[in-house]
Amino acid sequence: MQITNDWLPVVQEECKKEYYKDLFSFVKNEYANEVIYPPSDEIFNAFHFTPLKNVKVLIWGQDPYHEYNQAHGLSFSVPVSQHKIPPSLQNIYKELNDDLGCFIPNNGYLKKWADQGVLMLNTVLTVRAGAANSHKGHGWEQFTDAIIKAVNQKEEPVVYMLWGSPAQTKIPMLNNPNHLILKAVHPSPLSAYRGFFGCKHFSKCNEFLVSKGEKPIDWQIDNI
């Protein structure tokens, strides 16, 4: 699993559970016999890039991109080598441009956010090539719920950006009065015009962080 930072105690607790043993063997078998995304050494990138102690924002996705050279372990982000920006991320950039005046960059690599404490996590962390939601219901949901619960226990302010109804099913777990929950429809082309555009989540997030004495997020992704 290669997690060495302060996520380790949370993750180790899950690894002891029966569901995780089943999940591990399922995922191992899938990587051995099918084309699976992201690459196996990138499944846990969200944890590598954003230690628990640094988490200030949680952006919740559904499952990884299922096309070649897209998924790399951060929800909504694509690797530097991917020159095509996925449609949902294009809409996120449009909202950032409208909300904060960020220019629209020439890439979809969001590690700059992760480095500032934005945990970009999917409910399910692996997927079969070309088959969205193909690893749903095999145990990842229980694993990522444990991650949400750990973030919910943080005393420091955290902002949750929950886009779309699947992400919003997590709200009952988020009962920390020091934290802020922001809800909108999903930024996908199917729904973005029904309330993602104009939601101003990025400026609301920064206003909240500043009001709590925290450094705001620099949302501007740089050109490569």
Side-chain angles (χ1 to χ4, degrees), residues 1 6 20 36 41 46 53 55 57 65 74 81 84 94-95 130 134 154-155 158 171 190 196 211 223:
M1 180 169 285
D6 61 357
Y20 191 86
I36 304 299
D41 60 349
K53 68 178 189 305
V55 175
V57 181
Y65 295 125
L74 304 181
S81 55
K84 196 174 170 200
K94 282 180 192 167
E95 175 58 22
S134 47
K154 280 178 63 99
E155 288 179 22
V158 176
I171 290 172
L190 297 172
F196 180 77
S211 77
N223 282 334

Side-chain angles (χ1 to χ4, degrees), residues 5 51 90 222:
N5 60 18
Q90 288 180 30
D222 303 307

Side-chain angles (χ1 to χ4, degrees), residues 75-108:
S75 60
F76 297 103
S77 179
V78 291
V80 176
S81 55
Q82 173 57 258
H83 301 300
K84 196 174 170 200
I85 299 171
S88 291
L89 184 53
Q90 288 180 30
N91 287 338
I92 290 169
Y93 284 164
K94 282 180 192 167
E95 175 58 22
L96 268 168
N97 175 256
D98 183 58
D99 186 13
L100 290 172
C102 295
F103 68 78
I104 293 175
N106 62 3
N107 68 93

Side-chain angles (χ1 to χ4, degrees), residues 19-101:
Y19 87 87
Y20 191 86
K21 292 167 192 166
D22 294 341
L23 170 64
F24 183 85
S25 56
F26 166 75
V27 170
K28 190 176 176 186
N29 186 56
E30 285 283 285
Y31 274 96
N33 296 294
E34 305 284 344
V35 178
I36 304 299
Y37 301 129
S40 59
D41 60 349
E42 297 188 348
I43 295 172
F44 297 109
N45 269 351
F47 307 111
H48 298 315
F49 296 162
T50 313
L52 177 57
K53 68 178 189 305
N54 292 355
V55 175
K56 295 160 97 169
V57 181
L58 196 160
I59 296 180
W60 199 257
Q62 201 162 333
D63 73 331
Y65 295 125
H66 54 266
E67 302 298 335
Y68 172 72
N69 194 37
Q70 285 189 322
H72 72 113
L74 304 181
S75 60
F76 297 103
S77 179
V78 291
V80 176
S81 55
Q82 173 57 258
H83 301 300
K84 196 174 170 200
I85 299 171
S88 291
L89 184 53
Q90 288 180 30
N91 287 338
I92 290 169
Y93 284 164
K94 282 180 192 167
E95 175 58 22
L96 268 168
N97 175 256
D98 183 58
D99 186 13
L100 290 172

